[in-house]
Amino acid sequence: MTKAPDQSPPTFEQALAELESIVDALEQDEMTLEQSLGAFERGIGLTRTCQQALEAAEQRVRILTDARPDAEPEAFDTHD
């Protein structure tokens, strides 16, 4: 479940799918305390990844739907 430090972060869809599998595994209640804590920690990281992706998408939508005729395009950063 962990990724190597040199890999790029997962896509939103990958992070969400892994997060769902972690939740399913935690709900099975078959992990040790250490395994549960590790899964929880990974889940928190994936939640942050998803939140950042959603914030970036929201910013893009705001930029694209800005109704001001004099609006200047704004750069957005897809990686924090």
Side-chain angles (χ1 to χ4, degrees), residues 3 7-16 18 42 46 49 53:
K3 64 182 185 86
Q7 286 183 336
S8 61
T11 65
F12 174 81
E13 291 78 10
Q14 292 168 332
L16 188 59
E18 186 177 347
R42 176 69 177 150
L46 291 167
T49 297

Side-chain angles (χ1 to χ4, degrees), residues 9 17-20 22 25 27 29-31 33 37 43 45 50 52 56 58-60 66-67 70-71 73 75 77:
E18 186 177 347
L19 188 55
E20 289 172 347
I22 288 171
E27 288 177 342
D29 200 28
E30 296 177 358
M31 288 192 231
L33 178 60
L37 287 171
C50 289
Q52 289 171 348
E58 182 179 5
Q59 181 182 7
R60 290 177 71 182
D66 192 342
D70 62 336
D77 186 9

Side-chain angles (χ1 to χ4, degrees), residues 23-55:
V23 170
D24 289 342
L26 286 169
E27 288 177 342
Q28 296 299 315
D29 200 28
E30 296 177 358
M31 288 192 231
T32 65
L33 178 60
E34 284 301 313
Q35 290 170 328
S36 295
L37 287 171
F40 180 76
E41 184 176 2
R42 176 69 177 150
I44 293 297
L46 291 167
T47 300
R48 289 180 180 144
T49 297
C50 289
Q51 185 62 40
Q52 289 171 348
L54 290 172
E55 288 171 0

